[in-house]
Amino acid sequence: MHYSKMTNIQIQNLLNRLGIKSVNESVCTGGQWITAIGSETKQIHSPVDGQAIATVTYATVTEYERVAKVAQSAFEHWRGVAAPKRGELIRQIGNKLRDQKDDLGRLVSYEMGKSLQEGWGEVQEMIDICDFAVGLSRQLYGLTMVSERPNHSMQEQWHPLGVVGIISSFNFPVAVWSWNAMLAAVCGNVCIWKPSEKTPLSAIAVHQIIKSVLVENKLPEGIFNLIIGDHRMGEKLAKDHRITLISATGSTRMGKRVGQIVGGRLGKCLLELGGNNALIVSEEANLENALKACIFGAVGTAGQRCTSIRRIIIQDSIYDKFIAKLINAYRQLKIGNPLDQKNHMGPLIDVQAVNAYLHAIAEAENEGGHVLYGAKVLSGEGYQSGTYVLPTLIEAKNHYKIVQEETFAPISYILKYSRLEEAIAMQNDVKQGLSSAIFTNNMQEAHLFLSAIGSDCGIANVNIGTSGAEIGGAFGGEKDTGGGRESGSDSWKAYMRRQTNTINYGKDMPLAQGIKFDI
């Protein structure tokens, strides 16, 4: 099928298959939709072809208050449900997502602009985290500890926090919500989701998919909640003392604002913020594999991943050779409608993102950078939306101001090094600390990169790229990336509170530290 442009009928049929009949219902409290009473609306355009997909109505303060109260009430019930029973609900949600993977992936692709393969992959991430959460429902473990007092035992328990607020970004319209929501829910929490105002339709579709599961299980309203709005609604979530944890994904600037607000009320934050990721290419690397990783890492999602490769650091002995390989590969990339699987790269999310792309290129050149390839906005047949650009390679220096910043676009800065220690120092010499990678077949180089004096990022990979993380490992980064961890490993602990219990099963009451207090 040729996807030059989706017709209105195709768009409506896709939305209908996903259960979206009306988008005036901007608030969902599990099994019930609340018709918006506000007057503020936003028209959602696809970056793929510029077409208007739908118009959404923003929720008001009145609707927000209803959602918050319903969520609080639902928590009173949900925290008392046995964890394996909560896991059973998540299992059913995962199966519903399997049934709707094709259509939901297509909507993600069309609304956000990522390739269809990536759209399907994002839904698969949701399915995978559901499977992970089901297993976790029987493993919410605590520790036992030896007491210093006779006839005493000590243990720790983990209890749900309460209402969890989830603020997600446009680049992963549904997957990041699932990372948080599925783990939070299996831990006994309820969720309020404020998706990106740029991609609300995918979020609405998700809640239509899971609604039937909640209804079939006769669960109360408020376990999974959705509220559509802009940054003001996100700020309202952050300020609300009833929201025990705010998980926010987005820019460092946004995260600092959220952290300041939530910290001011002594709430909990889980922040997944910007990345300025580097891939080091050693002279001892498999260059073909390194090339593939560079291409996907820089071009996947049109460079709009927090884990996208921003800097490629190449050893001097292979510098010219590898650059030639890069340029040759870039020239073969097919750019166009992401629903056409022959294309490697789709559009940027909107014209503002294109302007940021152009600004970064101009700044790099002003600082002395040299464009090796790209630096062009595409026009003509198939590019009428004005959101398609050429992926760009720029020879630069690590200290350039623009290189130190994250630009959400397919721009990679090419840097040169002589010794590995120099490359690692260069990689770490940015404010962000999300993902990192090295390509080398030298065991000593690989282990140095992974050591305490190596990469300072939350993710450090050897012989794979910076993006494409599996859900089994904890995902997140350090420094200006926020320090949060989502998805696998023991990330579930972020959604629970720790309680230390001491039990005296003896007949006396000795005090700790040998203190005497006789009466």
Side-chain angles (χ1 to χ4, degrees):
M1 184 174 182
H2 180 56
Y3 291 97
S4 59
K5 189 172 186 179
M6 282 190 76
T7 66
N8 289 332
I9 293 176
Q10 286 175 318
I11 294 169
Q12 195 56 54
N13 286 341
L14 178 61
L15 296 179
N16 286 342
R17 290 197 300 272
L18 289 164
I20 302 178
K21 309 295 183 183
S22 169
V23 287
N24 287 327
E25 300 166 327
S26 64
V27 179
C28 181
T29 57
Q32 180 177 340
W33 288 87
I34 302 170
T35 301
I37 58 176
S39 59
E40 190 172 355
T41 62
K42 179 179 175 63
Q43 194 171 53
I44 306 303
H45 291 84
S46 169
V48 174
D49 52 23
Q51 285 197 101
I53 311 174
T55 299
V56 296
T57 303
Y58 281 172
T60 66
V61 172
T62 301
E63 292 158 330
Y64 175 83
E65 282 301 316
R66 176 170 177 181
V67 168
K69 289 177 181 177
V70 168
Q72 279 188 299
S73 177
F75 174 62
E76 299 298 317
H77 167 78
W78 188 239
R79 67 181 176 180
V81 174
K85 291 288 186 183
R86 300 194 295 251
E88 168 59 18
L89 180 80
I90 304 304
R91 186 191 67 80
Q92 294 175 36
I93 289 174
N95 286 341
K96 287 290 184 182
L97 290 168
R98 283 181 172 89
D99 294 341
Q100 296 276 32
K101 177 179 174 178
D102 181 69
D103 282 337
L104 183 56
R106 288 181 187 277
L107 179 59
V108 167
S109 177
Y110 188 61
E111 185 181 27
M112 185 269 151
K114 63 174 56 179
S115 74
L116 184 55
Q117 284 289 332
E118 291 181 87
W120 286 331
E122 185 165 346
V123 182
Q124 187 61 50
E125 279 194 57
M126 302 176 79
I127 295 166
D128 292 344
I129 201 67
C130 285
D131 289 348
F132 182 89
V134 172
L136 184 63
S137 69
R138 294 182 181 271
Q139 300 182 71
L140 298 175
Y141 53 84
L143 298 174
T144 59
M145 292 148 282
V146 176
S147 173
E148 68 180 63
R149 289 169 283 187
N151 299 321
H152 282 60
S153 65
M154 296 178 66
Q155 65 184 35
E156 65 178 22
Q157 294 184 356
W158 293 85
H159 298 298
L161 289 172
V163 183
V164 172
I166 302 169
I167 302 172
S168 61
S169 181
F170 75 88
N171 59 331
F172 281 86
V174 293
V176 171
W177 167 79
S178 70
W179 291 358
N180 287 276
M182 296 304 103
L183 296 193
V186 87
C187 289
N189 304 287
V190 301
C191 305
I192 300 176
W193 182 17
K194 203 295 286 182
S196 168
E197 58 267 33
K198 296 181 180 183
T199 52
L201 299 178
S202 296
I204 293 171
V206 166
H207 272 259
Q208 287 288 11
I209 291 169
I210 69 174
K211 180 175 72 171
S212 62
V213 178
L214 301 171
V215 172
E216 289 165 8
N217 284 270
K218 297 182 173 59
L219 289 169
E221 291 180 69
I223 296 173
F224 296 105
N225 304 278
L226 174 71
I227 190 158
I228 305 298
D230 59 14
H231 68 278
R232 293 168 294 180
M233 189 58 69
E235 191 151 316
K236 188 160 189 64
L237 267 174
K239 289 179 178 178
D240 193 341
H241 69 277
R242 295 168 293 187
I243 311 301
T244 52
L245 169 70
I246 291 287
S247 176
T249 303
S251 68
T252 297
R253 179 183 58 80
M254 179 277 286
K256 286 182 176 179
R257 175 63 179 159
V258 169
Q260 181 182 41
I261 294 172
V262 177
R265 60 177 178 85
L266 297 180
K268 296 179 183 291
C269 264
L270 196 167
L271 301 175
E272 294 289 356
L273 310 177
N276 193 346
N277 316 295
L279 185 148
I280 298 171
V281 184
S282 163
E283 64 184 5
E284 299 198 46
N286 179 319
L287 295 187
E288 294 307 313
N289 285 346
L291 181 66
K292 292 174 184 176
C294 286
I295 301 299
F296 177 72
V299 172
T301 324
Q304 296 171 114
R305 291 184 179 218
C306 53
T307 54
S308 292
I309 295 173
R310 308 292 174 203
R311 297 170 295 146
I312 303 174
I313 307 174
I314 308 169
Q315 193 159 17
D316 51 10
S317 58
I318 58 166
Y319 186 78
D320 293 335
K321 177 182 178 181
F322 195 72
I323 285 177
K325 285 179 175 289
L326 275 172
I327 294 172
N328 181 58
Y330 268 51
R331 285 177 176 150
Q332 298 176 55
L333 290 171
K334 295 181 176 65
I335 302 165
N337 190 317
L339 293 171
D340 183 344
Q341 295 188 63
K342 295 193 300 291
N343 292 323
H344 299 101
M345 190 180 103
L348 293 176
I349 186 65
D350 53 28
V351 174
Q352 288 72 32
V354 174
N355 290 337
Y357 162 87
L358 293 172
H359 172 76
I361 293 168
E363 286 296 302
E365 289 184 307
N366 288 339
E367 292 188 74
H370 173 59
V371 173
L372 300 173
Y373 181 85
K376 181 181 179 182
V377 179
L378 300 175
S379 59
E381 181 64 29
Y383 304 129
Q384 292 92 334
S385 61
T387 52
Y388 291 86
V389 302
L390 281 181
T392 300
L393 299 169
I394 302 177
E395 202 169 27
K397 300 292 185 183
N398 202 57
H399 67 265
Y400 289 176
K401 184 176 182 295
I402 193 63
V403 175
Q404 292 283 313
E405 299 173 1
E406 179 189 42
T407 302
F408 236 46
I411 300 173
S412 292
Y413 301 105
I414 309 299
L415 312 172
K416 183 190 292 187
Y417 79 95
S418 297
R419 297 171 57 252
L420 181 57
E421 290 80 1
E422 177 190 356
I424 292 173
M426 200 182 302
Q427 177 207 273
N428 294 345
D429 190 23
V430 291
K431 292 181 179 179
Q432 309 85 353
L434 179 52
S435 189
S436 58
I438 185 172
F439 270 78
T440 179
N441 290 328
N442 183 307
M443 183 181 69
Q444 289 179 318
E445 288 189 332
H447 281 276
L448 177 62
F449 179 76
L450 298 174
S451 73
I453 58 173
S455 169
D456 65 359
C457 296
I459 298 169
N461 296 330
V462 176
N463 293 332
I464 62 170
T466 59
S467 59
E470 300 178 26
I471 61 94
F475 180 89
E478 302 301 320
K479 303 189 293 188
D480 275 10
T481 301
R485 292 297 186 275
E486 294 171 333
S487 191
S489 186
D490 64 349
S491 297
W492 59 271
K493 292 180 179 179
Y495 308 95
M496 304 197 85
R497 61 180 177 86
R498 186 196 308 251
Q499 185 179 80
T500 301
N501 310 137
T502 304
I503 302 167
N504 178 359
Y505 56 89
K507 295 182 178 180
D508 299 319
M509 199 187 77
L511 299 177
Q513 293 85 48
I515 294 174
K516 301 295 182 182
F517 193 76
D518 297 326
I519 297 177

